[in-house]
Amino acid sequence: AQTVTQSQPEMSVQEAETVTLSCTYDTSESDYYLFWYKQPPSRQMILVIRQEAYKQQNATENRFSVNFQKAAKSFSLKISDSQLGDAAMYFCAYRSESYQFYFGTGTSLTVIP
Amino acid sequence: SAVISQKPSRDICQRGTSLTIQCQVDSQVTMMFWYRQQPGQSLTLIATANQGSEATYESGFVIDKFPISRPNLTFSTLTVSNMSPEDSSIYLCSVSGAGGNQPQHFGDGTRLSIL
């Protein structure tokens, strides 16, 4: 089975600074998708960004970008110009060829004013 | 993206009772999922509910404890049966398109507390 590992239970960043959240995964599949979700205290899971494994170009959504290293099975999330509203739990997720989703254990991000 | 309504948003129940959680989607979707999330922890998949077939349960979850219905492409229910304090958790419904890079979209969750 696929596994997703987030090795940073907690991270903090100064407002307006940049922070990188780490995620690694283990799979033998070649066709899969990777996602980052944000879960604020309101608890709704919100999609932040997605990456197709067959694409070499890293996905970017405004202040959010990923560093996808397929050979290393690494999928980190970079948040630039951090804002107070970015404070949340961030989950890395893997979608398999059979459409199963696997979530990491999450990273709690604190933004310091 | 799909809009998902989940009811109830929270409930407090007595030990030994059962509660049914409803998940309504504003569009037809192929795949619906039910997750459990303990406070401060990640999501654990309970089962995948596909219309027209029995739900597929993950290891550690059984149909007698978590019966699921999926009568059509826009609706599903999860029942938590014979509840105990260990069932206190957030239960999340999510949906996903079948193809391509479709993400999962989530409801707001149901916070369940068992006394």
Coordinates of all heavy atoms in Angstrom, one line a residue, chain A residues 6 33 35 37 39 41-47 49-52 54-55 89 91-92 95-106, chain B residues 4 9-10 31 33 35 37 40-43 45 48 56 58 90 92 96-111:
Chain A
Q6 N 4.7 12.9 6.4 CA 5.0 14.3 6.7 C 5.8 14.3 8.0 O 5.3 14.0 9.1 CB 3.7 15.1 6.8 CG 3.0 15.2 5.5 CD 1.7 16.0 5.7 OE1 0.6 15.5 5.6 NE2 1.8 17.3 5.9
Y33 N -1.3 11.0 -8.7 CA -1.5 12.5 -8.5 C -1.2 12.8 -7.0 O -1.4 12.0 -6.1 CB -2.9 12.9 -8.9 CG -3.2 12.6 -10.3 CD1 -3.8 11.4 -10.7 CD2 -2.9 13.5 -11.3 CE1 -4.1 11.1 -12.0 CE2 -3.2 13.3 -12.6 CZ -3.8 12.0 -13.0 OH -4.1 11.8 -14.3
F35 N -1.5 15.9 -4.0 CA -2.3 17.1 -3.6 C -1.8 17.6 -2.2 O -1.3 16.9 -1.4 CB -3.7 16.8 -3.4 CG -4.4 16.1 -4.7 CD1 -4.3 14.8 -4.9 CD2 -5.0 16.9 -5.6 CE1 -4.9 14.2 -6.0 CE2 -5.6 16.4 -6.7 CZ -5.5 15.0 -6.9
Y37 N -3.6 19.7 0.9 CA -4.9 20.3 1.4 C -4.6 21.1 2.6 O -3.6 20.8 3.4 CB -5.8 19.1 1.8 CG -6.5 18.5 0.7 CD1 -6.0 17.4 0.0 CD2 -7.8 18.9 0.2 CE1 -6.6 16.8 -1.1 CE2 -8.5 18.3 -0.8 CZ -7.9 17.3 -1.5 OH -8.5 16.7 -2.5
Q39 N -6.4 22.6 6.2 CA -7.6 22.4 7.1 C -7.5 23.4 8.2 O -6.8 23.2 9.2 CB -7.7 21.0 7.6 CG -9.0 20.8 8.4 CD -9.1 19.4 9.0 OE1 -8.1 18.8 9.4 NE2 -10.3 18.8 8.9
P41 N -9.0 25.8 11.4 CA -9.8 25.3 12.6 C -11.3 25.1 12.3 O -11.9 24.3 13.0 CB -9.6 26.5 13.6 CG -8.3 27.1 13.2 CD -8.2 26.9 11.7
S42 N -11.8 25.7 11.2 CA -13.2 25.5 10.9 C -13.4 24.0 10.4 O -14.5 23.6 10.1 CB -13.6 26.4 9.8 OG -12.9 26.2 8.6
R43 N -12.3 23.3 10.1 CA -12.2 21.9 9.8 C -12.5 21.5 8.4 O -12.4 20.4 8.0 CB -13.0 21.0 10.8 CG -14.5 21.0 10.6 CD -15.1 19.9 11.5 NE -16.5 19.9 11.4 CZ -17.3 20.4 12.3 NH1 -16.9 21.1 13.3 NH2 -18.6 20.3 12.1
Q44 N -13.0 22.4 7.6 CA -13.2 22.1 6.2 C -11.9 21.9 5.5 O -11.0 22.7 5.5 CB -14.0 23.1 5.5 CG -14.4 22.7 4.0 CD -15.3 23.7 3.3 OE1 -15.3 24.8 3.7 NE2 -16.0 23.2 2.3
M45 N -11.8 20.8 4.7 CA -10.5 20.5 4.0 C -10.6 21.3 2.6 O -11.6 21.2 1.9 CB -10.4 19.0 3.7 CG -10.2 18.2 4.9 SD -8.5 18.2 5.4 CE -7.8 17.1 4.2
I46 N -9.6 22.1 2.4 CA -9.6 22.9 1.2 C -8.4 22.5 0.3 O -7.2 22.5 0.8 CB -9.4 24.4 1.6 CG1 -10.6 24.8 2.5 CG2 -9.4 25.3 0.4 CD1 -10.4 26.1 3.2
L47 N -8.6 22.3 -0.9 CA -7.5 22.0 -1.9 C -6.7 23.2 -2.1 O -7.2 24.3 -2.4 CB -8.1 21.5 -3.2 CG -7.1 21.2 -4.3 CD1 -6.3 19.9 -3.9 CD2 -7.8 20.9 -5.6
I49 N -3.3 22.8 -3.9 CA -2.5 22.7 -5.1 C -2.5 21.2 -5.5 O -2.6 20.3 -4.6 CB -1.1 23.3 -5.0 CG1 -0.5 23.5 -6.3 CG2 -0.3 22.4 -4.1 CD1 0.7 24.5 -6.2
R50 N -2.3 20.9 -6.8 CA -2.2 19.5 -7.2 C -1.1 19.4 -8.2 O -0.7 20.3 -8.9 CB -3.6 19.1 -7.9 CG -3.8 19.7 -9.3 CD -5.1 19.3 -9.8 NE -6.1 20.2 -9.3 CZ -7.4 20.1 -9.6 NH1 -7.8 19.2 -10.5 NH2 -8.3 21.0 -9.1
Q51 N -0.6 18.1 -8.3 CA 0.5 17.9 -9.2 C 0.3 16.5 -9.9 O 0.0 15.5 -9.2 CB 1.8 17.8 -8.4 CG 3.1 17.4 -9.2 CD 3.6 18.5 -10.1 OE1 3.7 19.7 -9.7 NE2 4.0 18.2 -11.3
E52 N 0.4 16.5 -11.2 CA 0.4 15.2 -11.9 C 1.7 14.6 -12.0 O 2.7 15.3 -12.3 CB -0.2 15.4 -13.3 CG -1.6 15.8 -13.4 CD -1.8 17.3 -13.4 OE1 -0.9 18.0 -12.9 OE2 -2.8 17.8 -13.8
Y54 N 3.1 12.7 -14.1 CA 3.8 12.6 -15.4 C 4.3 14.0 -15.8 O 5.0 14.1 -16.8 CB 2.8 12.1 -16.4 CG 1.6 12.9 -16.6 CD1 1.6 14.0 -17.5 CD2 0.4 12.7 -16.0 CE1 0.5 14.8 -17.8 CE2 -0.8 13.4 -16.2 CZ -0.7 14.5 -17.1 OH -1.8 15.2 -17.3
K55 N 3.9 15.0 -15.1 CA 4.4 16.4 -15.5 C 5.7 16.7 -14.7 O 5.8 16.6 -13.5 CB 3.3 17.4 -15.1 CG 2.2 17.4 -16.1 CD 1.3 18.6 -15.8 CE 0.1 18.6 -16.8 NZ -0.8 19.8 -16.5
M89 N -3.8 23.3 9.5 CA -3.1 22.0 9.3 C -3.0 21.8 7.8 O -4.0 22.1 7.1 CB -3.9 20.9 9.9 CG -3.8 20.8 11.4 SD -2.2 20.1 11.9 CE -2.4 18.4 11.4
F91 N -2.2 19.0 4.9 CA -2.1 17.5 4.6 C -1.6 17.3 3.2 O -2.2 17.9 2.2 CB -3.4 16.8 4.8 CG -3.9 16.8 6.2 CD1 -4.8 17.7 6.7 CD2 -3.4 15.8 7.1 CE1 -5.3 17.7 8.0 CE2 -3.9 15.8 8.4 CZ -4.8 16.8 8.9
C92 N -0.6 16.4 3.1 CA -0.2 16.0 1.8 C -1.0 14.7 1.4 O -1.3 13.9 2.3 CB 1.3 15.6 1.9 SG 2.0 14.9 0.4
R95 N -3.0 10.3 -4.7 CA -4.1 9.6 -5.3 C -3.6 8.5 -6.2 O -2.8 8.8 -7.1 CB -5.0 10.5 -6.1 CG -6.1 9.8 -6.9 CD -7.0 10.8 -7.6 NE -7.9 10.0 -8.5 CZ -9.1 10.5 -8.9 NH1 -9.5 11.7 -8.6 NH2 -9.8 9.7 -9.7
S96 N -4.0 7.3 -6.0 CA -3.4 6.1 -6.7 C -4.1 5.9 -8.0 O -5.1 6.6 -8.3 CB -3.6 4.9 -5.8 OG -4.9 4.5 -5.8
E97 N -3.6 5.0 -8.8 CA -4.3 4.7 -10.1 C -5.7 4.1 -9.9 O -6.5 4.3 -10.8 CB -3.4 3.6 -10.8 CG -2.0 4.1 -11.2 CD -1.1 3.0 -11.7 OE1 -1.4 1.8 -11.5 OE2 -0.1 3.3 -12.4
S98 N -6.0 3.6 -8.7 CA -7.3 3.1 -8.5 C -8.2 4.1 -7.8 O -9.2 3.8 -7.2 CB -7.3 1.8 -7.7 OG -6.6 2.0 -6.4
Y99 N -7.7 5.4 -7.8 CA -8.5 6.5 -7.2 C -8.6 6.5 -5.7 O -9.3 7.3 -5.1 CB -9.9 6.6 -7.8 CG -9.9 6.6 -9.3 CD1 -10.5 5.6 -10.0 CD2 -9.2 7.6 -10.0 CE1 -10.5 5.6 -11.4 CE2 -9.2 7.6 -11.4 CZ -9.8 6.6 -12.1 OH -9.8 6.5 -13.5
Q100 N -7.8 5.7 -5.0 CA -7.7 5.7 -3.6 C -6.8 6.9 -3.2 O -5.8 7.2 -3.8 CB -7.1 4.5 -3.0 CG -8.0 3.3 -3.1 CD -8.7 3.0 -1.8 OE1 -8.9 4.0 -1.1 NE2 -9.2 1.8 -1.6
F101 N -7.2 7.6 -2.1 CA -6.5 8.7 -1.6 C -5.8 8.2 -0.3 O -6.4 7.6 0.6 CB -7.4 9.9 -1.3 CG -7.6 10.8 -2.4 CD1 -8.4 10.4 -3.5 CD2 -7.0 12.0 -2.5 CE1 -8.6 11.2 -4.5 CE2 -7.2 12.9 -3.6 CZ -8.0 12.5 -4.6
Y102 N -4.6 8.7 -0.1 CA -3.8 8.4 1.1 C -3.3 9.7 1.6 O -2.7 10.5 0.9 CB -2.6 7.4 0.8 CG -3.1 6.1 0.3 CD1 -3.3 5.9 -1.1 CD2 -3.3 5.0 1.1 CE1 -3.7 4.7 -1.6 CE2 -3.8 3.8 0.6 CZ -3.9 3.7 -0.8 OH -4.3 2.5 -1.2
F103 N -3.5 10.0 2.9 CA -3.2 11.3 3.5 C -2.0 11.1 4.5 O -1.9 10.1 5.2 CB -4.4 11.9 4.3 CG -5.5 12.4 3.4 CD1 -6.4 11.5 2.9 CD2 -5.5 13.7 3.0 CE1 -7.4 12.0 2.0 CE2 -6.5 14.2 2.1 CZ -7.5 13.3 1.7
G104 N -1.2 12.1 4.5 CA -0.1 12.2 5.5 C -0.7 12.5 6.9 O -1.9 12.8 7.0
T105 N 0.2 12.6 7.9 CA -0.3 12.9 9.2 C -0.5 14.4 9.5 O -0.9 14.7 10.6 CB 0.7 12.3 10.2 OG1 2.0 12.7 9.9 CG2 0.7 10.8 10.2
G106 N -0.1 15.2 8.6 CA -0.3 16.6 8.7 C 0.8 17.4 9.3 O 1.6 16.9 10.1
Chain B
I4 N -20.7 20.3 -1.1 CA -21.1 19.2 -0.3 C -21.8 19.6 1.0 O -21.2 20.4 1.7 CB -19.9 18.3 0.0 CG1 -19.3 17.8 -1.3 CG2 -20.3 17.0 0.8 CD1 -17.9 17.3 -1.1
S9 N -24.0 18.8 11.7 CA -22.7 19.3 11.8 C -22.0 18.9 13.1 O -20.8 18.7 13.1 CB -22.7 20.9 11.7 OG -23.4 21.4 12.8
R10 N -22.8 18.6 14.1 CA -22.3 18.1 15.3 C -23.4 17.4 16.1 O -24.6 17.7 15.9 CB -21.6 19.1 16.2 CG -22.5 20.3 16.6 CD -21.8 21.2 17.5 NE -20.7 21.8 16.9 CZ -19.5 21.9 17.5 NH1 -19.3 21.4 18.7 NH2 -18.5 22.4 16.8
M31 N -17.7 8.8 -7.2 CA -17.1 8.2 -6.0 C -17.3 9.1 -4.8 O -17.2 10.3 -4.8 CB -15.6 8.1 -6.2 CG -15.2 7.3 -7.5 SD -13.5 7.1 -7.7 CE -13.2 5.7 -6.7
F33 N -16.6 9.1 -0.5 CA -15.8 8.5 0.5 C -16.2 9.0 1.9 O -16.7 10.1 2.1 CB -14.3 8.9 0.3 CG -13.8 8.6 -1.0 CD1 -13.9 9.5 -2.1 CD2 -13.1 7.4 -1.3 CE1 -13.4 9.2 -3.3 CE2 -12.6 7.1 -2.5 CZ -12.7 8.0 -3.6
Y35 N -14.6 9.4 5.8 CA -13.4 9.4 6.6 C -13.7 9.6 8.1 O -14.7 10.2 8.4 CB -12.5 10.5 6.1 CG -11.8 10.3 4.8 CD1 -12.4 10.7 3.6 CD2 -10.5 9.7 4.7 CE1 -11.8 10.5 2.4 CE2 -9.9 9.5 3.5 CZ -10.6 10.0 2.3 OH -9.9 9.8 1.1
Q37 N -11.7 11.4 11.4 CA -10.6 12.2 11.8 C -10.6 12.4 13.3 O -11.5 13.1 13.8 CB -10.5 13.5 11.1 CG -9.3 14.3 11.3 CD -9.2 15.6 10.6 OE1 -10.3 16.2 10.3 NE2 -8.0 16.1 10.3
G40 N -6.8 16.5 16.0 CA -5.4 16.7 15.7 C -4.7 15.7 14.9 O -3.5 15.7 14.8
Q41 N -5.5 14.8 14.3 CA -4.8 13.7 13.6 C -5.3 13.7 12.1 O -6.0 14.6 11.7 CB -5.2 12.4 14.2 CG -4.6 12.2 15.6 CD -4.8 10.8 16.1 OE1 -4.9 9.8 15.4 NE2 -4.7 10.6 17.4
S42 N -4.7 12.8 11.3 CA -5.0 12.8 9.9 C -6.3 12.1 9.7 O -7.0 11.6 10.6 CB -3.8 12.0 9.2 OG -4.0 12.1 7.8
L43 N -6.6 11.9 8.4 CA -7.9 11.3 8.0 C -7.7 9.8 7.8 O -6.7 9.4 7.2 CB -8.4 11.9 6.7 CG -9.0 13.3 6.7 CD1 -8.0 14.4 7.0 CD2 -9.7 13.6 5.4
L45 N -9.6 6.6 6.1 CA -10.6 6.2 5.3 C -11.4 5.0 5.9 O -10.9 4.0 6.3 CB -10.1 5.8 3.9 CG -11.1 5.3 2.9 CD1 -12.0 6.5 2.5 CD2 -10.4 4.8 1.6
T48 N -15.3 3.4 0.8 CA -15.7 4.0 -0.4 C -17.1 3.6 -0.8 O -17.4 2.4 -0.8 CB -14.7 3.6 -1.5 OG1 -13.4 3.9 -1.1 CG2 -15.0 4.3 -2.8
T56 N -17.1 -0.4 -0.1 CA -15.9 -1.1 0.1 C -15.2 -0.6 1.4 O -14.8 0.6 1.4 CB -14.9 -0.9 -1.1 OG1 -15.5 -1.4 -2.3 CG2 -13.6 -1.7 -0.9
E58 N -12.4 -0.3 4.5 CA -11.0 -0.5 4.8 C -10.8 -1.4 6.0 O -11.7 -1.7 6.8 CB -10.4 0.9 5.1 CG -10.4 1.9 3.9 CD -9.7 1.3 2.7 OE1 -8.5 1.1 2.8 OE2 -10.3 1.2 1.6
I90 N -14.5 13.3 14.3 CA -15.1 14.0 13.2 C -15.2 13.1 12.0 O -14.3 12.3 11.7 CB -14.2 15.2 12.8 CG1 -14.1 16.2 13.9 CG2 -14.8 15.9 11.5 CD1 -13.1 17.3 13.7
L92 N -16.1 12.8 8.0 CA -16.0 13.6 6.8 C -16.5 12.8 5.6 O -16.1 11.7 5.4 CB -14.6 14.1 6.6 CG -14.1 15.1 7.6 CD1 -12.6 15.1 7.6 CD2 -14.5 16.5 7.2
S96 N -15.3 12.6 -5.4 CA -14.2 12.8 -6.4 C -14.7 12.4 -7.7 O -15.5 11.4 -7.8 CB -13.0 11.9 -6.0 OG -12.0 12.0 -7.0
G97 N -14.3 13.1 -8.8 CA -14.6 12.7 -10.1 C -13.7 11.4 -10.4 O -12.7 11.2 -9.8
A98 N -14.2 10.7 -11.4 CA -13.5 9.4 -11.7 C -12.2 9.5 -12.5 O -11.4 8.7 -12.4 CB -14.5 8.5 -12.5
G99 N -12.1 10.6 -13.2 CA -10.9 10.6 -14.1 C -9.9 11.7 -13.8 O -10.1 12.6 -13.1
G100 N -8.8 11.5 -14.5 CA -7.8 12.6 -14.5 C -7.2 13.0 -13.2 O -7.1 12.1 -12.3
N101 N -7.0 14.2 -13.0 CA -6.4 14.7 -11.8 C -7.4 15.2 -10.8 O -7.2 16.2 -10.1 CB -5.4 15.8 -12.1 CG -6.0 17.0 -12.7 OD1 -7.2 16.9 -13.1 ND2 -5.3 18.1 -12.7
Q102 N -8.6 14.6 -10.8 CA -9.6 15.1 -9.9 C -9.3 15.0 -8.4 O -9.0 13.9 -8.0 CB -10.9 14.3 -10.2 CG -11.5 14.4 -11.6 CD -11.8 15.9 -11.8 OE1 -12.6 16.5 -11.1 NE2 -11.3 16.4 -12.9
P103 N -9.3 16.1 -7.7 CA -9.1 16.0 -6.3 C -10.3 15.5 -5.6 O -11.4 15.3 -6.2 CB -8.8 17.5 -5.9 CG -9.6 18.2 -6.9 CD -9.6 17.4 -8.2
Q104 N -10.2 15.3 -4.3 CA -11.4 15.1 -3.5 C -11.9 16.5 -2.9 O -11.1 17.3 -2.6 CB -11.0 14.2 -2.3 CG -10.9 12.7 -2.7 CD -10.9 11.8 -1.6 OE1 -11.2 12.1 -0.4 NE2 -10.7 10.5 -1.9
H105 N -13.2 16.6 -2.9 CA -13.8 17.7 -2.2 C -14.5 17.3 -1.0 O -15.2 16.2 -1.0 CB -14.7 18.4 -3.2 CG -14.1 18.9 -4.5 ND1 -13.3 20.0 -4.5 CD2 -14.0 18.4 -5.7 CE1 -12.8 20.2 -5.7 NE2 -13.2 19.3 -6.5
F106 N -14.4 18.0 0.1 CA -14.9 17.6 1.3 C -16.1 18.4 1.8 O -16.2 19.6 1.6 CB -13.8 17.7 2.4 CG -12.7 16.7 2.2 CD1 -11.7 16.9 1.3 CD2 -12.7 15.5 2.9 CE1 -10.7 16.0 1.1 CE2 -11.7 14.6 2.8 CZ -10.7 14.8 1.8
G107 N -16.9 17.7 2.6 CA -18.0 18.4 3.4 C -17.3 19.0 4.6 O -16.1 18.9 4.9
D108 N -18.1 19.7 5.4 CA -17.6 20.4 6.6 C -17.4 19.5 7.7 O -16.9 19.9 8.8 CB -18.6 21.5 7.0 CG -18.5 22.7 6.0 OD1 -17.6 22.7 5.2 OD2 -19.5 23.5 6.1
G109 N -17.9 18.2 7.6 CA -17.7 17.3 8.7 C -18.7 17.3 9.7 O -19.5 18.2 9.9
T110 N -18.8 16.2 10.4 CA -19.7 16.0 11.6 C -18.9 15.7 12.8 O -18.2 14.7 12.8 CB -20.7 14.9 11.3 OG1 -21.5 15.2 10.2 CG2 -21.6 14.6 12.5
R111 N -19.0 16.6 13.8 CA -18.3 16.3 15.0 C -19.2 15.6 16.0 O -20.2 16.1 16.4 CB -17.9 17.7 15.7 CG -17.0 17.5 16.9 CD -16.7 18.8 17.6 NE -15.8 19.6 16.7 CZ -14.4 19.4 16.7 NH1 -13.9 18.5 17.5 NH2 -13.7 20.2 15.9

